[in-house]
Amino acid sequence: MVKGLYTAYSGLTVQQKRLDVVSNNLANATTTGYKKEGLTTQSFKDVYGIKVKDETVGYINQNIGTLNLGAKVGESFRSWDQGSFQNTGNTFDFALSGSGLFSISFTNKAGETSTLYTRDGSFQMNREGYLVTKDGDFVLGENGPIQLPTDFESLTVEESGEIYADGQYVDRLALVDFEDYDYVEAYGENLYKAVDGATQTEATAKVNQGYLEASNINVVTEMVDMISIARDFESNQKIMNTIDEMLGKMVSISEI
């Protein structure tokens, strides 16, 4: 009986985690370059049920089958499928088609600088001519932070990432890719960081100037998942309530 309570509780916990992920996906449905998150669910390992000190058998402990203690979150994952392109016509907007990430020189609140990565190509130029993110972090090229002449009349960025201001070569966007994206984690602010074990490879992505990549979130699918989660959560609640009522009746009978 108590095992049933624990099993239902584990189900509630899993549905709460699923709801957190779906809610976050929906909240970022309009975030440029955002990649969908997901969770897998798995059961706990089976354990043996044991009959203890039963005098009807010739030995003390006897296996009577297996028990399962409910469900748990298996692992989280991220879908790196490409989002649709939105034509903005903005000189400093870039979308990547194919596999790859922009490199960003990120400075945290403690003043520490590190290289992070993003698919969000909504950039701008600051007063010094540096190409920066909307938060002011430097966009990296092959020669470091990309600095443009402040008086240019035309800016062209080739599919390869080469940047030309008024026909003069400036730099090339530092696009990177990774052999295994399991070693790339979300950092926050639509940025990603490489963790221990990450291996960089040459990016095959092509740069599209004047476009932005939308998130790869399908709002309808996420809403359907949310409805499914609500129903599963309610089912586990009903199980817990039913077991609670049965335990209450057993206690009442024993007191008579």
Side-chain angles (χ1 to χ4, degrees):
M1 203 68 76
V2 175
K3 172 186 172 293
L5 282 173
Y6 182 82
T7 301
Y9 165 75
S10 70
L12 290 175
T13 302
V14 168
Q15 300 313 318
Q16 182 62 58
K17 294 290 186 182
R18 288 182 61 202
L19 182 61
D20 290 343
V21 171
V22 171
S23 299
N24 188 57
N25 285 340
L26 286 172
N28 287 281
T30 59
T31 301
T32 303
Y34 180 81
K35 299 305 178 185
K36 174 182 176 179
E37 290 183 281
L39 288 177
T40 62
T41 305
Q42 64 187 61
S43 63
F44 286 106
K45 291 183 178 180
D46 290 343
V47 297
Y48 283 115
I50 299 176
K51 185 185 294 183
V52 179
K53 296 182 179 179
D54 186 347
E55 297 180 356
T56 64
V57 295
Y59 45 88
I60 297 177
N61 296 335
Q62 179 186 21
N63 292 335
I64 57 175
T66 58
L67 299 173
N68 187 278
L69 301 179
K72 63 178 179 179
V73 174
E75 62 180 0
S76 60
F77 64 90
R78 187 176 299 276
S79 169
W80 291 93
D81 293 341
Q82 185 168 300
S84 60
F85 282 3
Q86 299 172 337
N87 187 346
T88 66
N90 191 321
T91 301
F92 300 113
D93 283 346
F94 306 99
L96 296 179
S97 57
S99 183
L101 297 161
F102 296 106
S103 299
I104 306 297
S105 178
F106 176 79
T107 303
N108 62 21
K109 294 180 180 179
E112 301 168 335
T113 301
S114 60
T115 301
L116 300 180
Y117 310 94
T118 187
R119 290 281 295 195
D120 183 357
S122 54
F123 303 141
Q124 55 194 22
M125 187 178 73
N126 66 14
R127 293 181 179 179
E128 291 76 32
Y130 285 102
L131 192 64
V132 297
T133 67
K134 58 181 178 294
D135 295 318
D137 295 307
F138 295 113
V139 180
L140 295 177
E142 292 183 338
N143 299 317
I146 298 172
Q147 186 174 25
L148 306 169
T150 56
D151 59 349
F152 73 84
E153 295 183 1
S154 66
L155 183 74
T156 303
V157 179
E158 304 290 343
E159 288 187 344
S160 61
E162 294 181 344
I163 304 170
Y164 295 88
D166 296 330
Q168 298 296 315
Y169 178 79
V170 177
D171 203 344
R172 181 177 179 178
L173 287 166
L175 304 181
V176 301
D177 201 1
F178 292 92
E179 189 175 289
D180 189 345
Y181 273 74
D182 287 341
Y183 295 96
V184 179
E185 293 182 352
Y187 179 85
E189 301 181 39
N190 213 10
L191 296 170
Y192 302 95
K193 66 177 181 179
V195 299
D196 291 343
T199 303
Q200 287 192 14
T201 59
E202 185 175 351
T204 59
K206 296 180 179 180
V207 180
N208 298 270
Q209 187 178 17
Y211 292 85
L212 288 177
E213 181 188 6
S215 72
N216 61 358
I217 302 297
N218 184 318
V219 175
V220 175
T221 300
E222 297 302 311
M223 291 300 295
V224 171
D225 286 346
M226 184 170 285
I227 293 172
S228 174
I229 291 168
R231 289 175 176 172
D232 291 342
F233 194 91
E234 184 179 2
S235 296
N236 283 289
Q237 277 186 317
K238 288 181 178 179
I239 292 172
M240 293 188 73
N241 290 336
T242 300
I243 295 175
D244 182 59
E245 291 176 3
M246 294 175 66
L247 288 172
K249 290 180 180 180
M250 291 175 63
V251 172
S252 297
I253 293 172
S254 66
E255 291 177 348
I256 297 176

